[in-house]
Amino acid sequence: MSTATLADSPAVTGGDTQWAVETHGLTKRFGENVAVNDVELLVPRGCAFGYLGPNGAGKTTLIRVLLGLTHADSGTMSLLGHAVPRHRDLALARVGAIVDEPRFHGHLTGRQNLQILAAAREPAAKGRIEPALERVGILHRANDKVSKYSMGMRQRLGVAACLLGDPQLLILDEPMNGLDPAGMLDMRDMILSLVAEGRTVVLSSHLLDEVERTCDAVAIVDRGSVIRQGPISQLLAGSSFEVQIECSDPDRAGHLLDATAFGAHLSVGPDGLAISLPAGTERDAIAEINRLLVEGGISVYRLQHIQASLESWFLEVTKRLGDPE
Amino acid sequence: MTTITDTGPAPTPIPAETRSDHRGSWIPTWGMVTTRLMELRRRRGMMIALIAVNIGIPVVFLGVRLITHAVDPKSYGPAGGYTIFTTLVAGFMYVFGFVVAAVVGCTAGSVDLTEGMFRHLVITGRSRLALYFARIPAGLAIVIAMVAVGYTIVCVVCVFAAPTQLNYDGVNVPQGLSRPALDTWAASHADEVICDFNYNGGPGLNGPPPNVPCGGGQSSGPPPGTVIQTKRGTITVPASESPAQIRAFAVSVANQDYTDYHSNFLVPSTSLMVDVGLWIALEATIGFIVGLGLASLMGQRTVPVVLLIVLELILTPIFSRHIISHLLNVQRGIVGVAMAHIEPGGLPTPFSGGGSGGGPGVNPLIPESTLTSSLVIVGWIVVWTAIGAWRMKTRDA
């Protein structure tokens, strides 16, 4: 495992950088509204990277800027080591993306739509149409008109379109939209298999549970700015956690702990005691709780350390940022 | 300082193939053109309109004429011939060919945006200009092919189902006579000439026409003994006129009509058909290019189609024949006016009913040199192509 920082990121000139996506000071304004605000983003190659944020946080706008769908007002960016927009053609040659809802020519079949997109890529892309259709599971419907496709099938066709370029980087904006549970499972497996092949997947989603199951690292964006980014395990390690206690007398245990520093984070529920401990609390605190209860004559049957989920961490982070100073 | 762990393997370099596929070039690939062609020709509604106007309506019109003439040749004239050719081409194919070509252009210029495909195409990294320019050969391949098929059918029918005798002012006249020969013919068919040919005074035609029977109990002039007031005084129509006088009058009428007669043919000439074919193909090309550019600029199809219909069916006929002194140069800049100026000779200008100079009661075309007309046409093609390409390049996808 290697570690890199913004300070030692290489100059953006070629395709051999370790970052799939790299932005510095990227800003995009719509009049007075700053949709993307001085974003510093580093997405390592070969991982699934979640890009999370509340509605209107600027997720899709950043993706559109990265892909050259709209221009940035300031800042620099690169995809797969190629500066964008200067070397946009080289950068996008190995990028596949779904932005917003995937839409196609409804009067054409799925295969014909892919033929149009393959023609805009390199000649070899034509030969990737059938494998792409097969991989996303719509080969049997490839000759049906897209107007007859469900939302989920259009999502799959969108992913197939991404695969035409044999991408090193896939940017998927809400790819789970419109998928049923089985479809979401398929999509998750596909994303994981793409990552296993050495590709980078940037997954923009509001389905935090899916992101947690799929991604290695995430960035949290709020009001146009990236406020946290890094591997999920590292980010969650720095968050608050909960200790659940199953014991012989929860009410008395509550009174006992109430008199200590743990009392401020205590709640008694049907499953027993739950103590929320703030980020940075040492693991010894759990042993201290156990000692206090045992010395108080309470039998402790189970003491479980529960790490915060990505969802609770996300809500905690974004709520904290939303609070007045 | 943000710290991120690199979790992935070393990336594979981008294959050399990608670097040599000229993705940044503004020139579209053959594959882009053919797939764009496929996308357009599978639009059923648009293709039906295109086929109906360029092929269907002329075929139905000529088919009905062929059938009616075959059933009752005395009541219904031949399906083809010079007159039918000029009427059909200038009165219908030219004008409505422009309109449907504009519809195709507007479709090609807007559907990627409205159907969400533009974004997918931009993400391929292909030059936006190449994406735009791929639409031009693809669209023109459809438009020009349809115009060519329809026009070929019209030419074939007009040549092979042409009348055997020239029907001039309702009289069967041998085609291609010289002036003396027409005079001779008129002298020998004096009654028909006097009864049916148009004339409006002039040398030899000062008095009333001789009174000859025209069939159906009608006669050509006032009854004998009628007193007619003229500028020179009163004339009493004589009881009868000599055959020589009647022949002389007929020859004078024929002389007066010779120029008009000479511009009528049994069949359109090969050179005329070639010229007219190129002319309506150019008109369709302009319709397509302007539609493409305007729809790309506006990002939609309906409004540009309406605007181009208004231009072709309302503004062009008005501005081509009514001089507005302060707007004369603007009028000259209208592409329809320029196209009317370069139309092949002998063809009635659309909506005018009588040649580029205009028929009786029709104002002549506003003055414009051929060079100016040519520059206006080239200008419309270049400017609208540039506008569409610029908007395509700068538009948010």
Side-chain angles (χ1 to χ4, degrees):
Chain A
M1 300 267 276
S2 61
T3 302
T5 65
L6 279 181
D8 55 28
S9 61
V12 181
T13 53
D16 54 356
T17 174
Q18 69 183 106
W19 306 112
V21 179
E22 184 175 0
T23 73
H24 298 294
L26 199 63
T27 302
K28 169 70 180 175
R29 295 186 185 85
F30 294 105
E32 293 295 310
N33 179 33
V34 184
V36 176
N37 186 14
D38 198 27
V39 166
E40 303 281 336
L41 181 67
L42 295 172
V43 177
R45 290 202 191 220
C47 74
F49 189 92
Y51 193 62
L52 307 174
N55 288 339
K59 300 188 298 289
T60 301
T61 305
L62 176 68
I63 290 173
R64 293 179 66 220
V65 171
L66 286 174
L67 296 170
L69 302 179
T70 186
H71 70 277
D73 291 313
S74 63
T76 60
M77 56 186 161
S78 72
L79 297 177
L80 300 170
H82 299 286
V84 177
R86 190 176 173 197
H87 299 298
R88 179 179 161 275
D89 53 335
L90 276 178
L92 295 182
R94 284 292 172 269
V95 174
I98 301 176
V99 186
D100 286 335
E101 175 193 346
R103 294 165 62 206
F104 296 90
H105 291 309
H107 68 293
L108 299 182
T109 66
R111 180 178 278 111
Q112 287 164 344
N113 273 287
L114 293 189
Q115 284 169 353
I116 291 174
L117 295 175
R121 290 189 173 273
E122 69 276 14
K126 195 175 176 184
R128 298 187 194 116
I129 292 174
E130 298 301 310
L133 287 166
E134 190 169 10
R135 183 161 191 175
V136 300
I138 57 170
L139 187 58
H140 64 294
R141 297 286 305 275
N143 292 327
D144 289 354
K145 287 185 177 176
V146 170
S147 57
K148 294 177 181 172
Y149 281 15
S150 66
M151 176 67 185
M153 291 186 67
R154 285 203 293 274
Q155 286 283 14
R156 289 165 185 264
L157 186 61
V159 176
C162 291
L163 297 175
L164 292 179
D166 188 20
Q168 293 180 359
L169 169 64
L170 288 104
I171 300 176
L172 308 177
D173 188 14
E174 306 286 3
M176 308 290 186
N177 275 1
L179 297 181
D180 56 20
M184 291 170 77
L185 184 65
D186 288 346
M187 183 66 79
R188 190 191 316 147
D189 289 344
M190 191 185 341
I191 290 171
L192 292 173
S193 70
L194 291 167
V195 174
E197 292 167 6
R199 305 177 202 272
T200 309
V201 178
V202 174
L203 182 64
S204 167
S205 178
H206 61 270
L207 300 174
L208 301 175
D209 185 44
E210 284 302 324
V211 171
E212 189 170 11
R213 291 187 204 188
T214 313
C215 295
D216 309 302
V218 294
I220 306 288
V221 60
D222 194 28
R223 297 172 199 168
S225 301
V226 173
I227 54 176
R228 297 279 191 284
Q229 63 178 313
I232 293 177
S233 56
Q234 284 183 20
L235 292 171
L236 294 184
S239 68
S240 62
F241 63 92
E242 191 177 88
V243 177
Q244 279 207 335
I245 303 166
E246 191 181 342
C247 59
S248 56
D249 191 345
D251 288 334
R252 200 160 69 81
H255 287 301
L256 196 63
L257 292 173
D258 224 3
T260 70
F262 301 115
H265 314 287
L266 189 71
S267 62
V268 181
D271 297 331
L273 282 175
I275 303 175
S276 295
L277 296 173
T281 305
E282 296 293 327
R283 284 170 63 85
D284 286 349
I286 301 172
E288 176 66 12
I289 291 169
N290 187 41
R291 190 184 62 75
L292 285 170
L293 294 177
V294 171
E295 285 178 1
I298 296 169
S299 303
V300 177
Y301 306 127
R302 183 171 63 88
L303 220 155
Q304 189 176 4
H305 169 247
I306 299 174
Q307 183 64 56
S309 66
L310 182 63
E311 184 174 358
S312 60
W313 177 77
F314 173 82
L315 292 172
E316 183 187 332
V317 170
T318 52
K319 179 174 179 293
R320 194 188 308 152
L321 286 164
D323 288 343
E325 296 287 330
Chain B
M1 189 64 66
T2 306
T3 303
I4 292 192
T5 305
D6 181 6
T7 55
T12 18
I14 294 173
E17 172 197 41
T18 302
R19 298 177 185 274
S20 62
D21 69 357
H22 305 296
R23 200 168 299 209
S25 167
W26 59 271
I27 302 171
T29 64
W30 178 248
M32 290 167 69
V33 175
T34 55
T35 52
R36 177 57 55 186
L37 179 64
M38 178 230 356
E39 188 275 312
L40 285 173
R41 72 182 165 80
R42 287 181 186 276
R43 292 188 176 275
R44 196 174 297 169
M46 185 192 78
M47 289 303 292
I48 287 172
L50 193 60
I51 293 170
V53 169
N54 283 307
I55 301 173
I57 293 176
V59 163
V60 169
F61 174 78
L62 294 172
V64 168
R65 285 188 65 91
L66 279 169
I67 292 167
T68 53
H69 180 68
V71 171
D72 187 359
K74 286 182 179 172
S75 302
Y76 300 99
Y82 175 82
T83 309
I84 297 297
F85 171 81
T86 55
T87 305
L88 201 52
V89 170
F92 182 80
M93 294 186 77
Y94 170 82
V95 175
F96 291 97
F98 176 93
V99 171
V100 289
V103 170
V104 176
C106 291
T107 304
S110 63
V111 288
D112 278 349
L113 280 167
T114 56
E115 296 181 2
M117 197 67 170
F118 184 52
R119 185 171 292 173
H120 292 291
L121 290 165
V122 171
I123 290 171
T124 62
R126 180 64 64 181
S127 157
R128 291 183 180 212
L129 291 180
L131 295 174
Y132 182 79
F133 289 128
R135 298 167 179 175
I136 295 177
L140 285 180
I142 292 174
V143 169
I144 300 301
M146 291 299 155
V147 169
V149 171
Y151 182 67
T152 303
I153 291 170
V154 170
C155 288
V156 167
V157 173
C158 286
V159 169
F160 290 101
T164 51
Q165 275 194 307
L166 183 65
N167 191 277
Y168 182 75
D169 283 347
V171 181
N172 286 330
V173 188
Q175 195 242 324
L177 297 177
S178 62
R179 188 181 289 269
L182 183 65
D183 289 350
T184 306
W185 181 87
S188 60
H189 297 77
D191 289 2
E192 290 171 273
V193 170
I194 293 168
C195 286
D196 295 320
F197 276 28
N198 290 320
Y199 55 93
N200 55 0
L205 299 170
N206 289 328
N211 203 308
V212 296
C214 294
Q218 301 289 316
S219 61
S220 59
T226 306
V227 178
I228 299 172
Q229 286 287 342
T230 70
K231 290 176 183 175
R232 297 176 187 173
T234 56
I235 298 173
T236 303
V237 176
S240 64
E241 284 172 310
S242 68
Q245 285 176 305
I246 292 173
R247 283 197 298 273
F249 193 91
V251 168
S252 298
V253 169
N255 247 309
Q256 190 180 72
D257 285 1
Y258 182 76
T259 305
D260 187 39
Y261 156 82
H262 192 62
S263 65
N264 281 264
F265 306 93
L266 285 177
V267 292
S269 68
T270 304
S271 63
L272 180 67
M273 286 190 289
V274 170
D275 290 348
V276 170
L278 294 173
W279 183 63
I280 62 169
L282 177 60
E283 176 75 350
T285 300
I286 293 168
F288 174 81
I289 295 286
V290 176
L292 180 67
L294 189 58
S296 297
L297 179 68
M298 301 182 78
Q300 59 159 297
R301 181 170 60 171
T302 308
V303 172
V305 167
V306 171
L307 289 176
L308 289 176
I309 288 174
V310 169
L311 172 71
E312 182 69 5
L313 300 187
I314 299 174
L315 296 182
T316 299
I318 293 172
F319 284 147
S320 62
R321 294 190 179 276
H322 296 86
I323 294 176
I324 304 167
S325 53
H326 292 93
L327 295 176
L328 184 57
N329 285 332
V330 174
Q331 289 179 260
R332 286 177 174 143
I334 294 174
V335 71
V337 176
M339 284 297 292
H341 273 283
I342 64 159
E343 79 167 28
L347 210 57
T349 306
F351 299 116
S352 73
S356 59
V362 176
N363 292 333
L365 278 174
I366 63 166
E368 187 172 49
S369 69
T370 304
L371 176 64
T372 307
S373 302
S374 304
L375 289 175
V376 167
I377 291 164
V378 171
W380 273 69
I381 292 173
V382 170
V383 168
W384 280 108
T385 301
I387 288 173
W390 164 78
R391 194 68 189 102
M392 183 83 167
K393 191 172 168 58
T394 56
R395 175 186 290 284
D396 278 359

